[in-house]
Amino acid sequence: FTNIINALQAIDKTYSNSEMVRKILRCFPRSWMKKVTAIEEAKNLNVLPLEDLLGSLMTHELSMQKKDDDEEKEKKKKKKKKIIALKSSLIEDSVDDEELALITQKFK
């Protein structure tokens, strides 16, 4: 956006700060509408510096990315957990207590 604005200034076409702020806010997709609405209602767009707007949007983007990363990690964690159910039966073999204790230790 700033490259385009600078190129337009080179051919003597300039926009005011508030026009640039409004143009940026209009170009966002639907997923960003909550943030755009919050900025429009909380700030005076006539005096909001372009740098402040860009900083706010970049911060929001980073927090959204962090949240997505956290959700992805949580999904991977849940997939790794496996539940094992063992069927038990009563077998009367000649397994002594020491062998049973050894098997139990190895199982744990």
Side-chain angles (χ1 to χ4, degrees):
F1 183 78
T2 54
N3 290 341
I4 293 170
I5 294 300
N6 291 337
L8 287 170
Q9 285 177 345
I11 58 171
D12 292 331
K13 175 63 179 163
T14 59
Y15 289 98
S16 69
N17 187 67
S18 66
E19 287 176 310
M20 290 188 286
V21 167
R22 291 176 199 284
K23 285 182 184 295
I24 288 176
L25 290 176
R26 280 197 309 259
C27 74
F28 282 98
R30 183 177 294 259
S31 61
W32 282 71
M33 282 300 115
K34 291 177 185 176
K35 181 65 177 178
V36 170
T37 302
I39 290 172
E40 288 173 342
E41 290 182 0
K43 309 219 184 235
N44 182 355
L45 299 183
N46 293 323
V47 295
L48 177 65
L50 184 61
E51 295 79 20
D52 289 356
L53 173 66
L54 295 177
S56 175
L57 295 172
M58 289 170 68
T59 301
H60 179 67
E61 184 178 30
L62 289 173
S63 66
M64 284 178 33
Q65 188 175 10
K66 184 179 181 330
K67 184 176 180 181
D68 290 344
D69 291 346
D70 290 346
E71 288 174 358
E72 187 70 27
K73 285 179 185 177
E74 197 63 34
K75 283 181 185 177
K76 285 182 181 179
K77 235 186 216 183
K78 287 181 181 179
K79 285 182 181 179
K80 286 183 180 179
K81 291 182 181 177
K82 291 183 180 179
I83 298 173
I84 299 173
L86 301 174
K87 186 176 180 181
S88 66
S89 61
L90 184 60
I91 300 174
E92 295 198 21
D93 277 342
S94 61
V95 178
D96 65 355
D97 290 337
E98 286 180 27
E99 288 178 8
L100 186 59
L102 183 61
I103 291 172
T104 305
Q105 284 179 343
K106 286 185 179 182
F107 180 74
K108 286 181 182 178

